[in-house]
Amino acid sequence: MPLHFSASLPKPAFLRPHTKSFGLGLVCVGLLAALAACSKHEAAPEPIRAVKVVTVALGNIGSNLEFAGEVRAQTESALGFRVAGKIIQRQAELGQRVKVGQVLAQLDPQDYKLAADAARAQLAAATTNSDLASADYKRYKELKEQNFISGAELERRDSVLKSAQAQVQQAQAQLASSGNQAVYTRLVSDVAGVVTAVSAEPGQVVAGGTPVVKVAQDGARDVVFVVPEDRVAGVQLGSAVAVRVWSSNTELAGKVREVAASADAVTRTFQVKVSIDPKTAPPLGTTVSVLPQSLSRAGVPVIKLPTSALKQEANGTTAVWLLDPASMTVKSQQVVVASADGNEAVISSGLQPGMQVVAAGVHVLAPGQKVTIYQQKTTPAQSASAPAAMNTVATPVAAPVSAAQ
């Protein structure tokens, strides 16, 4: 049966709302929300980075300028046929040693033999005409002595004879030329040496003078290398050069024999030739290292920095971080790199001896950032723990002796 309460009677406590407590709770929640919205989270302070620094000082360059060179013969002859034709045979091979008079290649000589035959026939005809003109002149000369002909007729016969004799000489020269051309169909080496290049193959039609074989003559040897424009002025004729063979690491002495008068059209470098003793020269084509003494930089005082200290600026320049010992902050300093010395950069301007430069971690620093100097941690000595470790090893126990023994 449901309960009915009278309006005059008070309601039970569990049915009466706690209006005062509920309102106070809402006010507290609102204040907490407002405080949470107004409060700002303070950023954690950036940790002070530890950096490695080096003190700028003058040092000596330990490396020399080194160039890659190649051993070549002082004289290389590009041999070719003196006449045009089709190559029917090539006896020379790359790397082959040849002698004076050795046949290197052969053209088809048939056309030149026919030309020689034609020249020989022309010579025979010219000789016959000359003999006939000579006989006529002799007869007319006798008639002139008997006054049967005039002097003008004799002079005419003399002119005919001289013309016939000239035709004979022309035919003889033509025959000699045709004979020479037939001989020129054989490419013969006029020097002793080694074949270093082959430019034509059998079946190929070549023009007169086209290089077919290149022969490096025996005798003097050169080391050929190139230098850039800014170094060619330091290479003097007759200056000493050290030549180091890559394969055997042996060093040879040489002298500058020739410096190119103009730069290469493509590489813009200057070719330099160094003469070496042919008795100790390595084989042709050997790659060597060339160290010109006139370009030596050993002992020159310069400022050097490890390459890890360099950084690239947005404008393309090179800079380093300088440490201010008073405030222990860093600032950027622009420098000019002249060259490299091993794994170090040679600085030409921007630094003075005594400055401190950050040597590592340059890409995580900012101007004015506070830093500390990195101190290498020392590891505790392990010698003290070694005896303790030895004492923990169990000593082997002897086996018990049997009672029966």
Side-chain angles (χ1 to χ4, degrees):
M1 181 176 181
L3 298 176
H4 297 281
F5 297 95
S6 173
S8 58
L9 295 176
K11 294 181 179 181
F14 66 90
L15 293 178
R16 293 197 301 266
H18 300 275
T19 306
K20 186 175 180 180
S21 300
F22 181 73
L24 183 60
L26 289 177
V27 171
C28 292
V29 172
L31 290 175
L32 291 175
L35 290 175
C38 295
S39 63
K40 296 182 179 179
H41 296 282
E42 294 183 358
E46 186 176 354
I48 298 178
R49 296 185 179 275
V51 296
K52 292 183 179 181
V53 297
V54 293
T55 302
V56 177
L58 290 177
N60 295 329
I61 294 182
S63 62
N64 292 329
L65 289 178
E66 186 172 325
F67 302 90
E70 181 183 359
V71 177
R72 299 181 187 174
Q74 280 194 5
T75 304
E76 288 185 343
S77 303
L79 305 180
F81 293 101
R82 299 174 66 174
V83 294
K86 179 180 179 180
I87 300 176
I88 60 174
Q89 189 178 5
R90 177 175 57 77
Q91 294 90 334
E93 299 293 342
L94 188 64
Q96 178 183 355
R97 177 166 292 279
V98 296
K99 301 178 181 179
V100 178
Q102 183 174 342
V103 179
L104 305 179
Q106 175 71 52
L107 290 179
D108 185 2
Q110 187 62 33
D111 293 341
Y112 296 100
K113 288 182 179 180
L114 294 176
D117 293 340
R120 192 174 295 108
Q122 289 179 359
L123 176 60
T127 302
T128 302
N129 291 335
S130 176
D131 293 342
L132 181 59
S134 178
D136 286 346
Y137 176 77
K138 183 178 181 181
R139 186 172 58 255
Y140 274 85
K141 184 178 181 181
E142 293 177 353
L143 293 175
K144 174 65 176 63
E145 291 176 353
Q146 300 175 7
N147 292 324
F148 288 137
I149 59 174
S150 63
E153 185 65 23
L154 182 61
E155 292 178 358
R156 189 180 303 111
R157 295 301 172 178
D158 184 56
S159 298
V160 173
L161 176 60
K162 291 180 179 179
S163 176
Q165 292 175 345
Q167 289 178 359
V168 171
Q169 294 176 356
Q170 181 181 5
Q172 289 175 345
Q174 187 67 32
L175 177 60
S177 176
S178 299
N180 289 339
Q181 289 184 346
V183 174
Y184 294 156
T185 58
R186 298 167 67 245
L187 182 59
V188 179
S189 175
D190 55 355
V191 296
V194 179
V195 178
T196 58
V198 174
S199 306
E201 299 295 337
Q204 182 177 346
V205 177
V206 295
T210 302
V212 176
V213 176
K214 181 178 287 187
V215 177
Q217 297 186 19
D218 292 338
R221 292 290 183 261
D222 279 343
V223 172
V224 181
F225 66 102
V226 295
V227 296
E229 295 181 58
D230 59 339
R231 300 294 182 183
V232 67
V235 181
Q236 303 296 330
L237 291 176
S239 59
V241 176
V243 179
R244 185 180 301 116
V245 183
W246 286 7
S247 57
S248 60
N249 202 28
T250 58
E251 188 168 309
L252 307 175
K255 290 185 178 181
V256 177
R257 184 179 68 86
E258 179 183 319
V259 180
S262 60
D264 184 85
V266 178
T267 62
R268 306 308 303 168
T269 55
F270 291 79
Q271 188 181 76
V272 180
K273 295 181 179 180
V274 176
S275 62
I276 57 177
D277 187 359
K279 297 180 181 179
T280 58
L284 292 175
T286 303
T287 303
V288 295
S289 296
V290 184
L291 294 84
Q293 301 299 321
S294 58
L295 299 180
S296 176
R297 304 176 300 172
V300 178
V302 292
I303 293 177
K304 297 188 296 183
L305 290 178
T307 54
S308 59
L310 305 179
K311 65 187 183 75
Q312 197 75 15
E313 296 291 339
N315 56 2
T317 59
T318 304
V320 296
W321 289 112
L322 289 182
L323 175 65
D324 183 5
S327 60
M328 292 303 293
T329 58
V330 293
K331 67 175 182 178
S332 181
Q333 174 66 34
Q334 183 177 345
V335 296
V336 176
V337 179
S339 61
D341 183 23
N343 293 327
E344 294 180 313
V346 179
I347 308 301
S348 60
S349 64
L351 296 177
Q352 296 294 332
M355 293 181 174
Q356 290 184 324
V357 177
V358 177
V362 298
H363 300 291
V364 295
L365 299 178
Q369 182 175 350
K370 280 189 169 294
V371 295
T372 59
I373 298 179
Y374 173 77
Q375 301 292 339
Q376 187 173 2
K377 298 179 180 179
T378 57
T379 57
Q382 302 295 332
S383 57
S385 58
M390 292 295 294
N391 294 333
T392 59
V393 178
T395 304
V397 180
V401 180
S402 174
Q405 299 175 350

